[in-house]
């Protein structure tokens, strides 16, 4: 073949090669475009399906699942706190297991009902009930006492523990039955109304003088009236009770000067003087016997604090003292009156609402408790089985241990492998896009 023919032949062949390459590129472009379009369409389809589900899942989680879980957990916790408080109460009674369970149910229902009706924290009420029974309130009167103490705490703008302490101090000092709690509470609130003292201050200091007053026959109403009159003249409740106690001690433990006054009055003892005239009346009689002389009265009383009480309740102050005592002897309903006034405040309205919500949460927690107890029991049994498995595994020969470890490794890999497959499937749209890109020029 001539050289020119060879060149012509090569040129022709090269031209054919060029044409084949161009045809391949054109087909590749079409295939890449097809892959790309298909990938985009698939991605859009997946997005249309996934986005509503994701949005619904988010809404359900935030709006339903999370709040329900939080309510359930909180209710369980509150129910457990309430149960613990009640079990502490029943532990004081020394009852048999069956009787303690009945008492637990009765007291629990009573406290939750009172909590919603009166507007007091149910868990705090269990603590107050514990304090009341510890102080000697009989089981049969415990709920009635607790309600009165709760009202006193509300009206006195204090906590139930303070009210329980103050009320039981008076009941125990005077040997009164628990069914007179309302009477004591009313007198204490009347003293707050008449004097210059808070219920909390009164409850915390009345124990200074109440035991001795009871022994001498001084009624709690007269003791409270004397305290109220003295506080109106600038003394605190604690100072007033200290002065009253000092005066009583001076009268029942007389010195020579006091005995001389007794002789003038024609009485055999200070106790007889108080029993005849009352404490305020006895101090008035002693002042008269001293001829109005503060020095002679001071010498007879022998104590500055005792003289302070005598001067505050006699002489020019005797009219005020008598009026205050009259108010204390007609104090029925004072606690309820004070509570009604306090309940008008926005703060108390919020406390009432909160108490009702908490009581409802406790009742829900009590409903959920059996299921929670079952779950805890199941987990406990699993723990026991796990311990048995560990012991059994430790006793296996080395070869069997190795085989079991290998099998466990395969089992442990199933989860991650499944997750990986799921991830791969979810990545198909992106893989299609990648393939389309690879086949594109």
């Amino acid at each position: 073949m001539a050289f020119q023919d060879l060149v012509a032949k090569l040129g022709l062949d090269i031209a054919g090669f060029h044409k084949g390459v161009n045809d391949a590129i054109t087909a590749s472009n079409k295939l890449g475009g097809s892959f790309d379009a298909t990938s985009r369409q698939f991605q859009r389809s997946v997005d249309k399906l996934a986005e509503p589900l994701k949005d619904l899942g988010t809404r359900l989680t935030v709006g339903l699942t999370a709040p329900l879980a939080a309510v359930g957990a909180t209710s369980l916790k509150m129910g457990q706190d309430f149960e613990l408080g009640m079990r502490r109460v029943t532990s004081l009674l020394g009852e048999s297991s069956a009787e303690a369970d009945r008492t637990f149910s009765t007291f629990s229902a009573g406290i939750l009902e009172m909590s919603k009706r009166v507007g007091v924290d149910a868990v705090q009420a269990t603590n107050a009930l514990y304090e009341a029974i510890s102080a000697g309130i009989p089981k049969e009167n415990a709920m009635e006492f607790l309600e009165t103490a709760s009202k006193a705490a509300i009206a006195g703008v204090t906590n139930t523990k303070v009210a329980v302490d103050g009320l039981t101090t008076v009941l125990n000092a005077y040997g009164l039955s628990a069914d007179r709690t309302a009477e004591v509470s009313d007198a204490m609130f009347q003293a707050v109304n008449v004097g210059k003292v808070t219920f909390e201050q009164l409850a915390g200091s009345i124990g200074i003088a109440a035991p001795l007053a009871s022994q001498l026959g001084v009624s709690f109403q007269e003791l409270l009236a004397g305290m109220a009159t003295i506080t109106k003249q600038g003394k605190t409740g604690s100072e007033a009770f200290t002065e009253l106690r000092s005066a009583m001690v001076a009268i029942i433990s007389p010195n020579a000067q006091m005995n001389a006054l007794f002789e003038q009055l024609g009485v055999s003892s200070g106790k007889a003087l108080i029993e005849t005239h009352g404490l305020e009346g006895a101090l008035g009689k002693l002042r008269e016997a001293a001829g109005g002389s503060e020095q002679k009265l001071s010498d007879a009383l022998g104590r500055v604090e005792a003289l302070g009480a005598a001067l505050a309740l006699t002489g020019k102050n005797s009219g005020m003292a008598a009026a205050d005592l009259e108010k204390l002897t007609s104090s029925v309903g004072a606690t309820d009156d004070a509570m009604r006034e306090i309940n008008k405040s926005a703060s108390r309205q919020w406390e009432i609402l909160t108490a009702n919500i908490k009581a409802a949460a406790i009742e829900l927690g009590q409903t959920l408790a059996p299921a929670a107890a079952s779950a805890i029991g199941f987990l406990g049994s699993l723990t026991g089985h796990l311990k048995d498995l560990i012991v059994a595994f430790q006793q296996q020969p080395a070869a069997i241990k190795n085989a079991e470890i290998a099998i466990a490794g395969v089992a442990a890999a199933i989860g991650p492998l499944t997750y990986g497959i799921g991830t791969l499937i979810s990545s198909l749209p992106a893989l299609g896009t990648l393939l389309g890109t690879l086949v594109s020029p």
Side-chain angles (χ1 to χ4, degrees), residues 38-72:
T38 301
S39 174
R40 287 195 299 271
Q41 183 177 1
F42 182 50
Q43 182 68 59
R44 285 194 296 271
S45 299
V46 170
D47 289 343
K48 286 181 180 180
L49 175 64
E51 288 303 321
L53 290 176
K54 287 164 62 179
D55 182 63
L56 177 61
T58 300
R59 291 175 181 272
L60 288 174
T61 299
V62 174
L64 184 63
T65 305
L68 284 177
V71 169

mmCIF file of all heavy atoms in Angstrom, residues 38-72:
data_model
loop_
_atom_site.group_PDB
_atom_site.id
_atom_site.type_symbol
_atom_site.label_atom_id
_atom_site.label_comp_id
_atom_site.label_asym_id
_atom_site.label_seq_id
_atom_site.Cartn_x
_atom_site.Cartn_y
_atom_site.Cartn_z
ATOM 1 N N THR A 38 -33.795 11.627 38.269
ATOM 2 C CA THR A 38 -34.432 10.577 39.083
ATOM 3 C C THR A 38 -34.091 10.757 40.557
ATOM 4 O O THR A 38 -34.936 10.605 41.435
ATOM 5 C CB THR A 38 -33.964 9.192 38.609
ATOM 6 O OG1 THR A 38 -34.306 9.037 37.239
ATOM 7 C CG2 THR A 38 -34.650 8.092 39.440
ATOM 8 N N SER A 39 -32.836 11.099 40.832
ATOM 9 C CA SER A 39 -32.406 11.295 42.213
ATOM 10 C C SER A 39 -33.156 12.443 42.869
ATOM 11 O O SER A 39 -33.606 12.337 44.009
ATOM 12 C CB SER A 39 -30.900 11.564 42.241
ATOM 13 O OG SER A 39 -30.485 11.883 43.540
ATOM 14 N N ARG A 40 -33.286 13.555 42.134
ATOM 15 C CA ARG A 40 -33.992 14.704 42.693
ATOM 16 C C ARG A 40 -35.456 14.381 42.961
ATOM 17 O O ARG A 40 -36.023 14.782 43.968
ATOM 18 C CB ARG A 40 -33.869 15.910 41.764
ATOM 19 C CG ARG A 40 -32.481 16.555 41.746
ATOM 20 C CD ARG A 40 -32.517 17.922 41.104
ATOM 21 N NE ARG A 40 -32.966 17.870 39.728
ATOM 22 C CZ ARG A 40 -32.153 17.687 38.681
ATOM 23 N NH1 ARG A 40 -30.842 17.556 38.875
ATOM 24 N NH2 ARG A 40 -32.630 17.648 37.462
ATOM 25 N N GLN A 41 -36.063 13.662 42.030
ATOM 26 C CA GLN A 41 -37.462 13.296 42.211
ATOM 27 C C GLN A 41 -37.639 12.376 43.417
ATOM 28 O O GLN A 41 -38.565 12.521 44.214
ATOM 29 C CB GLN A 41 -37.982 12.604 40.943
ATOM 30 C CG GLN A 41 -39.481 12.239 41.025
ATOM 31 C CD GLN A 41 -39.985 11.622 39.739
ATOM 32 O OE1 GLN A 41 -39.225 11.451 38.786
ATOM 33 N NE2 GLN A 41 -41.259 11.293 39.694
ATOM 34 N N PHE A 42 -36.699 11.402 43.597
ATOM 35 C CA PHE A 42 -36.758 10.478 44.725
ATOM 36 C C PHE A 42 -36.572 11.233 46.050
ATOM 37 O O PHE A 42 -37.254 10.969 47.037
ATOM 38 C CB PHE A 42 -35.682 9.411 44.554
ATOM 39 C CG PHE A 42 -35.694 8.367 45.646
ATOM 40 C CD1 PHE A 42 -36.869 7.721 46.001
ATOM 41 C CD2 PHE A 42 -34.527 8.048 46.317
ATOM 42 C CE1 PHE A 42 -36.875 6.756 46.988
ATOM 43 C CE2 PHE A 42 -34.532 7.094 47.308
ATOM 44 C CZ PHE A 42 -35.700 6.435 47.641
ATOM 45 N N GLN A 43 -35.634 12.186 46.040
ATOM 46 C CA GLN A 43 -35.381 12.973 47.245
ATOM 47 C C GLN A 43 -36.611 13.786 47.643
ATOM 48 O O GLN A 43 -36.970 13.865 48.817
ATOM 49 C CB GLN A 43 -34.193 13.912 47.027
ATOM 50 C CG GLN A 43 -33.816 14.735 48.256
ATOM 51 C CD GLN A 43 -33.255 13.868 49.354
ATOM 52 O OE1 GLN A 43 -32.250 13.180 49.152
ATOM 53 N NE2 GLN A 43 -33.892 13.869 50.514
ATOM 54 N N ARG A 44 -37.277 14.356 46.621
ATOM 55 C CA ARG A 44 -38.480 15.128 46.919
ATOM 56 C C ARG A 44 -39.579 14.246 47.498
ATOM 57 O O ARG A 44 -40.299 14.631 48.413
ATOM 58 C CB ARG A 44 -38.973 15.833 45.641
ATOM 59 C CG ARG A 44 -38.142 17.053 45.232
ATOM 60 C CD ARG A 44 -38.864 17.880 44.181
ATOM 61 N NE ARG A 44 -39.047 17.150 42.930
ATOM 62 C CZ ARG A 44 -38.166 17.132 41.921
ATOM 63 N NH1 ARG A 44 -37.037 17.837 42.031
ATOM 64 N NH2 ARG A 44 -38.405 16.454 40.840
ATOM 65 N N SER A 45 -39.701 13.039 46.975
ATOM 66 C CA SER A 45 -40.717 12.106 47.477
ATOM 67 C C SER A 45 -40.439 11.726 48.925
ATOM 68 O O SER A 45 -41.337 11.673 49.762
ATOM 69 C CB SER A 45 -40.758 10.845 46.604
ATOM 70 O OG SER A 45 -41.097 11.166 45.275
ATOM 71 N N VAL A 46 -39.155 11.434 49.203
ATOM 72 C CA VAL A 46 -38.778 11.074 50.572
ATOM 73 C C VAL A 46 -39.033 12.249 51.518
ATOM 74 O O VAL A 46 -39.543 12.079 52.626
ATOM 75 C CB VAL A 46 -37.300 10.638 50.630
ATOM 76 C CG1 VAL A 46 -36.841 10.504 52.083
ATOM 77 C CG2 VAL A 46 -37.109 9.320 49.905
ATOM 78 N N ASP A 47 -38.676 13.465 51.072
ATOM 79 C CA ASP A 47 -38.876 14.642 51.916
ATOM 80 C C ASP A 47 -40.354 14.862 52.210
ATOM 81 O O ASP A 47 -40.728 15.241 53.322
ATOM 82 C CB ASP A 47 -38.281 15.883 51.252
ATOM 83 C CG ASP A 47 -36.756 15.851 51.245
ATOM 84 O OD1 ASP A 47 -36.188 15.059 52.016
ATOM 85 O OD2 ASP A 47 -36.145 16.618 50.479
ATOM 86 N N LYS A 48 -41.197 14.655 51.186
ATOM 87 C CA LYS A 48 -42.630 14.837 51.394
ATOM 88 C C LYS A 48 -43.166 13.877 52.458
ATOM 89 O O LYS A 48 -44.077 14.214 53.217
ATOM 90 C CB LYS A 48 -43.389 14.626 50.075
ATOM 91 C CG LYS A 48 -43.233 15.767 49.087
ATOM 92 C CD LYS A 48 -44.029 15.487 47.825
ATOM 93 C CE LYS A 48 -43.877 16.630 46.804
ATOM 94 N NZ LYS A 48 -44.641 16.370 45.574
ATOM 95 N N LEU A 49 -42.623 12.681 52.490
ATOM 96 C CA LEU A 49 -43.057 11.701 53.471
ATOM 97 C C LEU A 49 -42.447 11.983 54.842
ATOM 98 O O LEU A 49 -43.114 11.881 55.878
ATOM 99 C CB LEU A 49 -42.669 10.287 53.009
ATOM 100 C CG LEU A 49 -42.954 9.149 53.994
ATOM 101 C CD1 LEU A 49 -44.456 9.033 54.226
ATOM 102 C CD2 LEU A 49 -42.378 7.841 53.481
ATOM 103 N N ALA A 50 -41.165 12.361 54.837
ATOM 104 C CA ALA A 50 -40.440 12.480 56.100
ATOM 105 C C ALA A 50 -40.808 13.746 56.884
ATOM 106 O O ALA A 50 -40.959 13.697 58.109
ATOM 107 C CB ALA A 50 -38.931 12.462 55.853
ATOM 108 N N GLU A 51 -40.931 14.878 56.206
ATOM 109 C CA GLU A 51 -41.122 16.141 56.910
ATOM 110 C C GLU A 51 -42.383 16.179 57.763
ATOM 111 O O GLU A 51 -42.347 16.579 58.925
ATOM 112 C CB GLU A 51 -41.110 17.314 55.922
ATOM 113 C CG GLU A 51 -39.738 17.626 55.351
ATOM 114 C CD GLU A 51 -38.720 17.914 56.448
ATOM 115 O OE1 GLU A 51 -39.078 18.577 57.437
ATOM 116 O OE2 GLU A 51 -37.580 17.449 56.322
ATOM 117 N N PRO A 52 -43.554 15.769 57.229
ATOM 118 C CA PRO A 52 -44.745 15.757 58.090
ATOM 119 C C PRO A 52 -44.591 14.840 59.298
ATOM 120 O O PRO A 52 -45.053 15.156 60.397
ATOM 121 C CB PRO A 52 -45.855 15.265 57.162
ATOM 122 C CG PRO A 52 -45.370 15.567 55.792
ATOM 123 C CD PRO A 52 -43.879 15.386 55.847
ATOM 124 N N LEU A 53 -43.950 13.675 59.082
ATOM 125 C CA LEU A 53 -43.754 12.753 60.198
ATOM 126 C C LEU A 53 -42.830 13.345 61.243
ATOM 127 O O LEU A 53 -43.066 13.223 62.454
ATOM 128 C CB LEU A 53 -43.181 11.428 59.683
ATOM 129 C CG LEU A 53 -44.144 10.572 58.842
ATOM 130 C CD1 LEU A 53 -43.416 9.342 58.321
ATOM 131 C CD2 LEU A 53 -45.356 10.152 59.674
ATOM 132 N N LYS A 54 -41.739 13.988 60.780
ATOM 133 C CA LYS A 54 -40.825 14.625 61.712
ATOM 134 C C LYS A 54 -41.523 15.740 62.485
ATOM 135 O O LYS A 54 -41.348 15.892 63.707
ATOM 136 C CB LYS A 54 -39.611 15.179 60.970
ATOM 137 C CG LYS A 54 -38.656 14.091 60.497
ATOM 138 C CD LYS A 54 -37.683 14.603 59.458
ATOM 139 C CE LYS A 54 -36.790 15.695 60.015
ATOM 140 N NZ LYS A 54 -35.821 16.166 59.003
ATOM 141 N N ASP A 55 -42.327 16.533 61.769
ATOM 142 C CA ASP A 55 -43.034 17.630 62.419
ATOM 143 C C ASP A 55 -44.040 17.107 63.442
ATOM 144 O O ASP A 55 -44.143 17.616 64.561
ATOM 145 C CB ASP A 55 -43.757 18.474 61.360
ATOM 146 C CG ASP A 55 -44.483 19.660 61.970
ATOM 147 O OD1 ASP A 55 -43.799 20.525 62.548
ATOM 148 O OD2 ASP A 55 -45.712 19.704 61.881
ATOM 149 N N LEU A 56 -44.785 16.047 63.047
ATOM 150 C CA LEU A 56 -45.744 15.447 63.972
ATOM 151 C C LEU A 56 -45.034 14.874 65.192
ATOM 152 O O LEU A 56 -45.481 15.035 66.333
ATOM 153 C CB LEU A 56 -46.539 14.352 63.252
ATOM 154 C CG LEU A 56 -47.549 13.582 64.119
ATOM 155 C CD1 LEU A 56 -48.605 14.532 64.674
ATOM 156 C CD2 LEU A 56 -48.205 12.468 63.303
ATOM 157 N N GLY A 57 -43.919 14.208 64.966
ATOM 158 C CA GLY A 57 -43.161 13.627 66.067
ATOM 159 C C GLY A 57 -42.674 14.685 67.035
ATOM 160 O O GLY A 57 -42.746 14.517 68.262
ATOM 161 N N THR A 58 -42.188 15.805 66.484
ATOM 162 C CA THR A 58 -41.714 16.897 67.338
ATOM 163 C C THR A 58 -42.849 17.477 68.162
ATOM 164 O O THR A 58 -42.722 17.717 69.366
ATOM 165 C CB THR A 58 -41.082 18.000 66.484
ATOM 166 O OG1 THR A 58 -39.971 17.445 65.765
ATOM 167 C CG2 THR A 58 -40.591 19.152 67.348
ATOM 168 N N ARG A 59 -43.987 17.697 67.497
ATOM 169 C CA ARG A 59 -45.137 18.273 68.192
ATOM 170 C C ARG A 59 -45.648 17.348 69.296
ATOM 171 O O ARG A 59 -45.983 17.793 70.400
ATOM 172 C CB ARG A 59 -46.266 18.564 67.199
ATOM 173 C CG ARG A 59 -45.960 19.709 66.237
ATOM 174 C CD ARG A 59 -47.071 19.868 65.210
ATOM 175 N NE ARG A 59 -46.786 20.933 64.272
ATOM 176 C CZ ARG A 59 -47.119 22.205 64.472
ATOM 177 N NH1 ARG A 59 -47.739 22.561 65.598
ATOM 178 N NH2 ARG A 59 -46.824 23.122 63.581
ATOM 179 N N LEU A 60 -45.731 16.056 69.005
ATOM 180 C CA LEU A 60 -46.200 15.104 70.008
ATOM 181 C C LEU A 60 -45.233 15.015 71.184
ATOM 182 O O LEU A 60 -45.645 14.915 72.338
ATOM 183 C CB LEU A 60 -46.381 13.714 69.378
ATOM 184 C CG LEU A 60 -47.577 13.565 68.431
ATOM 185 C CD1 LEU A 60 -47.554 12.191 67.782
ATOM 186 C CD2 LEU A 60 -48.888 13.776 69.177
ATOM 187 N N THR A 61 -43.937 15.047 70.879
ATOM 188 C CA THR A 61 -42.941 14.950 71.947
ATOM 189 C C THR A 61 -43.013 16.157 72.876
ATOM 190 O O THR A 61 -43.053 16.024 74.100
ATOM 191 C CB THR A 61 -41.528 14.841 71.357
ATOM 192 O OG1 THR A 61 -41.450 13.652 70.562
ATOM 193 C CG2 THR A 61 -40.480 14.770 72.455
ATOM 194 N N VAL A 62 -43.029 17.351 72.255
ATOM 195 C CA VAL A 62 -43.029 18.581 73.049
ATOM 196 C C VAL A 62 -44.377 18.819 73.713
ATOM 197 O O VAL A 62 -44.458 19.210 74.880
ATOM 198 C CB VAL A 62 -42.655 19.785 72.154
ATOM 199 C CG1 VAL A 62 -42.795 21.091 72.926
ATOM 200 C CG2 VAL A 62 -41.243 19.619 71.633
ATOM 201 N N GLY A 63 -45.456 18.575 72.961
ATOM 202 C CA GLY A 63 -46.776 18.927 73.466
ATOM 203 C C GLY A 63 -47.472 17.858 74.268
ATOM 204 O O GLY A 63 -48.397 18.158 75.030
ATOM 205 N N LEU A 64 -47.047 16.600 74.152
ATOM 206 C CA LEU A 64 -47.771 15.534 74.816
ATOM 207 C C LEU A 64 -46.860 14.623 75.641
ATOM 208 O O LEU A 64 -47.026 14.492 76.851
ATOM 209 C CB LEU A 64 -48.544 14.704 73.781
ATOM 210 C CG LEU A 64 -49.429 13.587 74.332
ATOM 211 C CD1 LEU A 64 -50.528 14.169 75.214
ATOM 212 C CD2 LEU A 64 -50.053 12.784 73.175
ATOM 213 N N THR A 65 -45.878 14.017 74.963
ATOM 214 C CA THR A 65 -45.056 13.017 75.652
ATOM 215 C C THR A 65 -44.286 13.618 76.817
ATOM 216 O O THR A 65 -44.332 13.095 77.935
ATOM 217 C CB THR A 65 -44.067 12.380 74.660
ATOM 218 O OG1 THR A 65 -44.798 11.859 73.548
ATOM 219 C CG2 THR A 65 -43.285 11.263 75.326
ATOM 220 N N ALA A 66 -43.556 14.713 76.562
ATOM 221 C CA ALA A 66 -42.745 15.321 77.618
ATOM 222 C C ALA A 66 -43.599 15.825 78.785
ATOM 223 O O ALA A 66 -43.290 15.545 79.951
ATOM 224 C CB ALA A 66 -41.888 16.455 77.051
ATOM 225 N N PRO A 67 -44.707 16.564 78.525
ATOM 226 C CA PRO A 67 -45.535 16.995 79.657
ATOM 227 C C PRO A 67 -46.134 15.829 80.449
ATOM 228 O O PRO A 67 -46.175 15.862 81.671
ATOM 229 C CB PRO A 67 -46.632 17.833 78.987
ATOM 230 C CG PRO A 67 -46.016 18.323 77.726
ATOM 231 C CD PRO A 67 -45.129 17.199 77.266
ATOM 232 N N LEU A 68 -46.606 14.802 79.728
ATOM 233 C CA LEU A 68 -47.182 13.660 80.431
ATOM 234 C C LEU A 68 -46.135 12.951 81.284
ATOM 235 O O LEU A 68 -46.406 12.540 82.414
ATOM 236 C CB LEU A 68 -47.791 12.681 79.429
ATOM 237 C CG LEU A 68 -49.133 13.087 78.812
ATOM 238 C CD1 LEU A 68 -49.581 12.061 77.792
ATOM 239 C CD2 LEU A 68 -50.192 13.257 79.895
ATOM 240 N N ALA A 69 -44.943 12.812 80.735
ATOM 241 C CA ALA A 69 -43.863 12.175 81.490
ATOM 242 C C ALA A 69 -43.513 13.006 82.727
ATOM 243 O O ALA A 69 -43.299 12.468 83.816
ATOM 244 C CB ALA A 69 -42.634 11.994 80.605
ATOM 245 N N ALA A 70 -43.464 14.338 82.556
ATOM 246 C CA ALA A 70 -43.130 15.216 83.683
ATOM 247 C C ALA A 70 -44.215 15.156 84.762
ATOM 248 O O ALA A 70 -43.920 15.087 85.954
ATOM 249 C CB ALA A 70 -42.956 16.654 83.185
ATOM 250 N N VAL A 71 -45.492 15.191 84.332
ATOM 251 C CA VAL A 71 -46.596 15.116 85.281
ATOM 252 C C VAL A 71 -46.563 13.790 86.034
ATOM 253 O O VAL A 71 -46.730 13.733 87.258
ATOM 254 C CB VAL A 71 -47.953 15.293 84.562
ATOM 255 C CG1 VAL A 71 -49.108 14.936 85.490
ATOM 256 C CG2 VAL A 71 -48.104 16.724 84.074
ATOM 257 N N GLY A 72 -46.332 12.718 85.285
ATOM 258 C CA GLY A 72 -46.280 11.406 85.919
ATOM 259 C C GLY A 72 -45.160 11.296 86.932
ATOM 260 O O GLY A 72 -45.361 10.828 88.061
#
